[in-house]
Amino acid sequence: MSTVLCFCLRGIIPGPIEFTDEVLFANAHPSMSHMSPDFARVFGDCIRMTRQLLYSEDAQPFLIAGSGTLGQDQVSANLVEPGENALVLHSGCFADSFADCLQTYGANVDQIKAEIGGAVKEADIENALQAKKYKIVTVTHVDTSSAVLSDIKAIPNVVKRVSPDTLVVVDAVCSVASEEIQMGAWGIDVVLTASQKGLGTPPGLSILVASQKAVQVFENRSTPVTTYYGSWKKWLPVTKAYENNSAAYFATPPVNLIYAFHASLTQIMQGSVSLEQRFKLHQEVSRRVKKAAEEIGFKGVPLSEDVQANGMSALYLPDGFTVSDIVPRLLKKGVVVAGRLHASIKGQ
Amino acid sequence: MSTVLCFCLRGIIPGPIEFTDEVLFANAHPSMSHMSPDFARVFGDCIRMTRQLLYSEDAQPFLIAGSGTLGQDQVSANLVEPGENALVLHSGCFADSFADCLQTYGANVDQIKAEIGGAVKEADIENALQAKKYKIVTVTHVDTSSAVLSDIKAIPNVVKRVSPDTLVVVDAVCSVASEEIQMGAWGIDVVLTASQKGLGTPPGLSILVASQKAVQVFENRSTPVTTYYGSWKKWLPVTKAYENNSAAYFATPPVNLIYAFHASLTQIMQGSVSLEQRFKLHQEVSRRVKKAAEEIGFKGVPLSEDVQANGMSALYLPDGFTVSDIVPRLLKKGVVVAGRLHASIKGQ
């Protein structure tokens, strides 16, 4: 028996990563009412910093108690109406769950599957968009099961050229704050993520940012939204109120996690390195890790350097080695690994 | 201008309540993988203790990242199929959101509205059940907006007598661990709640417990579930795996909140007072608070003692007093109040 090993830079497993003392301290904040002005200001700060982290000027963040999966749910329920078409770019198993989610809400889903360790080719996306009208295209920025990095700067360009009305949705659970995402300049309509990976906050917070174009598409729906908990009809007034530093109620926010997220965002945005330096450092460290792993006999899952994630690494076991050979040795050196994420290469 | 004041016993506002040091310490737990055996055991304990707290032997708990509202979502999406009838017993404004949620998922909703400060009468429930076939009846155990306590021991009896197939769903966000709930003996099919009130854990955890009868009804659906994030099809295998002390994945659980919930449940279940004594103490303290409030001129919102919640109190302002008279005086005495919850008596 052997397996695929996935390393994540900060926490050495593909999430949750380790948290700083400041974040854990904030997560132990004494009870605060979610309706208090003090909390509203902190929540407002989180909304503003989230937008800034994605280099956006006017996109609309939603911070809701839930996991990253709730982001897929929000996209599927709010932006695609029953019977509309969705194109899912598949570079690992998180595309399968997105397709499943979209179908649950009534979308007709087509998938373009990249070869294992590769990203979907632009020419294939272009052909698909020319053949059929799609409401949205979804792409996993970094798929945790393959460590493949998709080019989310190039994809919106293809979409804009061939099918300008189609929304570009990036599942960025495993990339926000580890990889650069210029939401505004690159023309991305939705970035969805979660608290527990690059954002360095305990799990339990769904973070989604929607462009004004996406919000417009939502507002111009011809059918009602068929979800309750993830409905933007409920959450839009709430997120707007908190951004305005005042409280509003639909469902109780995860108050302590918001304090923790605030601490982490503050460290990311106002730390000793700029955002640009942060992404560069991730890239440099990632290359060193991958080079060292190759030197001792591992082969990376991503097929080439241009599709290698910088926030995590997925490696095939060296020939002739098994998990029980490798894992105890790595553990002795303080390296924790996670395995078995991508169904098709399970055991390699 | 005046208002309705709501007191909550432990935290003096109607949630979130104050947390113990042990709970906050657990919420600052260093990062743990949600797939680790250590975490799986803690999650398993939480599932078992939640069941025990509701005096059930075999009901199925679901612990999911989300707010209490996600419980209403789960019930509406998993237990009621489009076009089926739901009866909502209205004793405060949380019935309005439950009705809204049920309608979102396609249910035909009827409401029986109690007079303000009262609970719905058994005779009215009986008449409604005789007139129409309902898939579920929902009742808010303690409505945060009115502090009215509904009799969730008597209601399942009426339902069982008149319409034995109808499921009884209790919205117990504001009552679990403050009021006694004997899920098994009283014949309740769903108890839904959240972490931040009687359960003494920061907000962000949706807690729902379903009877085996409710699970059967879910499994015998003739139409697919139309939600993704709250779908029991996804969560049933996960909760069963964790109860078996092994990990499973659909969406990342809120790991730190689970540690915090474990700390709080341990204090509740293994503390110096038994569960029975705990509920009795709540009742005694509540009566003292209400008596003292009456003596200084406040009148309770609940119309009589038998519908008064023990975990919180809602009071009308004394005649001639305004919020600006009262709130600063209470604050000086260290009493924090929350207002404006029930739309119909806002300002009284």
Side-chain angles (χ1 to χ4, degrees), chain B residues 104-131:
Chain B
T104 301
Y105 287 101
N108 300 320
V109 177
D110 293 321
Q111 288 198 52
I112 309 181
K113 294 205 179 193
E115 61 182 322
I116 290 165
V120 175
K121 291 186 172 59
E122 285 175 43
D124 294 339
I125 304 171
E126 182 158 353
N127 289 341
L129 290 171
Q130 270 160 350

Side-chain angles (χ1 to χ4, degrees), chain A:
Chain A
M1 197 185 79
S2 56
T3 195
V4 177
L5 307 177
C6 301
F7 297 81
C8 192
L9 269 192
R10 284 178 60 187
I12 331 211
I13 47 167
I17 64 153
E18 284 181 15
F19 314 123
T20 64
D21 290 347
E22 290 77 7
V23 168
L24 290 177
F25 186 72
N27 209 37
H29 196 287
S31 181
M32 281 292 287
S33 165
H34 51 284
M35 302 305 282
S36 68
D38 283 356
F39 173 69
R41 268 192 301 274
V42 170
F43 203 157
D45 279 350
C46 287
I47 293 170
R48 288 180 285 273
M49 284 193 281
T50 300
R51 180 186 292 125
Q52 206 181 334
L53 176 68
L54 297 173
Y55 297 88
S56 168
E57 285 184 5
D58 62 352
Q60 182 62 63
F62 296 86
L63 310 179
I64 307 178
S67 78
T69 304
L70 183 62
Q72 296 186 337
D73 196 90
Q74 287 179 67
V75 166
S76 308
N78 290 289
L79 292 179
V80 188
E81 300 187 52
E84 291 182 332
N85 301 320
L87 181 63
V88 172
L89 309 184
H90 187 292
S91 55
C93 63
F94 284 86
D96 294 323
S97 62
F98 216 150
D100 186 14
C101 182
L102 283 157
Q103 281 161 340
T104 301
Y105 287 101
N108 301 318
V109 176
D110 293 322
Q111 288 199 53
I112 308 180
K113 294 206 177 190
E115 61 182 321
I116 290 165
V120 175
K121 292 187 173 60
E122 285 174 41
D124 293 339
I125 303 170
E126 182 158 352
N127 290 341
L129 291 171
Q130 270 161 349
K132 202 188 268 188
K133 177 92 186 160
Y134 288 99
K135 185 73 171 286
I136 66 167
V137 174
T138 76
V139 52
T140 317
H141 193 189
V142 171
D143 199 291
T144 313
S145 70
S146 65
V148 165
L149 177 76
S150 291
D151 188 345
I152 60 162
K153 186 177 175 181
I155 292 169
N157 261 334
V158 177
V159 176
K160 213 174 299 168
R161 184 157 41 79
V162 185
S163 178
D165 289 344
T166 303
L167 298 174
V168 178
V169 173
V170 178
D171 181 336
V173 169
C174 195
S175 68
V176 169
S178 311
E179 312 281 351
E180 188 181 15
I181 304 179
Q182 298 226 9
M183 207 180 158
W186 299 351
I188 298 165
D189 293 299
V190 174
V191 172
L192 68 92
T193 189
S195 47
Q196 75 273 15
K197 298 201 177 184
L199 288 168
T201 307
L205 186 63
S206 158
I207 298 146
L208 183 146
V209 186
S211 69
Q212 286 304 323
K213 181 179 161 191
V215 173
Q216 275 302 312
V217 165
F218 160 72
E219 283 177 343
N220 294 334
R221 286 178 67 99
S222 58
T223 59
V225 172
T226 58
T227 186
Y228 188 71
Y229 186 63
S231 170
W232 289 356
K233 201 175 131 197
K234 304 293 182 188
W235 288 111
L236 257 177
V238 173
T239 184
K240 283 181 176 171
Y242 276 109
E243 172 140 23
N244 210 16
N245 294 340
S246 70
Y249 180 76
F250 164 57
T252 307
V255 174
N256 285 48
L257 271 177
I258 295 288
Y259 279 104
F261 188 41
H262 189 270
S264 190
L265 280 172
T266 305
Q267 291 183 321
I268 292 169
M269 305 301 284
Q270 294 162 27
S272 55
V273 296
S274 69
L275 264 186
E276 292 70 21
Q277 286 170 317
R278 177 186 172 89
F279 297 131
K280 219 170 146 232
L281 275 170
H282 262 92
Q283 202 170 44
E284 283 167 18
V285 176
S286 170
R287 284 192 183 148
R288 285 211 301 277
V289 168
K290 287 169 171 76
K291 196 159 168 274
E294 267 169 42
E295 280 167 9
I296 56 172
F298 287 99
K299 200 187 103 203
V301 176
L303 295 167
S304 60
E305 207 177 73
D306 61 319
V307 292
Q308 272 175 359
N310 297 300
M312 66 167 293
S313 305
L315 304 166
Y316 289 105
L317 279 172
D319 286 340
F321 281 83
T322 67
V323 169
S324 31
D325 295 328
I326 296 282
V327 173
R329 290 198 214 175
L330 287 171
L331 266 175
K332 268 191 199 150
K333 293 191 181 290
V335 179
V336 182
V337 293
R340 290 176 302 128
L341 276 173
H342 196 308
S344 313
I345 46 176
K346 211 166 173 170
Q348 295 174 36

Side-chain angles (χ1 to χ4, degrees), chain B residues 264-282:
Chain B
S264 189
L265 281 171
T266 305
Q267 290 184 322
I268 293 169
M269 305 300 286
Q270 294 162 26
S272 54
V273 296
S274 70
L275 264 186
E276 291 69 22
Q277 286 170 315
R278 177 187 172 89
F279 297 131
K280 219 170 145 233
L281 275 171
H282 263 92

Side-chain angles (χ1 to χ4, degrees), chain A residues 16-32 39 195-196 200-205 253-261 263, chain B residues 16-32 39 42 46 65 195-196 199-205 253-265 267:
Chain A
I17 64 153
E18 284 181 15
F19 314 123
T20 64
D21 290 347
E22 290 77 7
V23 168
L24 290 177
F25 186 72
N27 209 37
H29 196 287
S31 181
M32 281 292 287
F39 173 69
S195 47
Q196 75 273 15
T201 307
L205 186 63
V255 174
N256 285 48
L257 271 177
I258 295 288
Y259 279 104
F261 188 41
Chain B
I17 64 150
E18 283 180 17
F19 314 124
T20 65
D21 289 347
E22 290 76 7
V23 168
L24 289 176
F25 186 71
N27 208 37
H29 196 286
S31 182
M32 281 293 287
F39 173 68
V42 171
C46 287
S195 46
Q196 76 273 13
L199 287 167
T201 307
L205 187 63
V255 175
N256 286 49
L257 271 177
I258 294 289
Y259 278 104
F261 187 41
H262 189 269
S264 189
L265 281 171
Q267 290 184 322

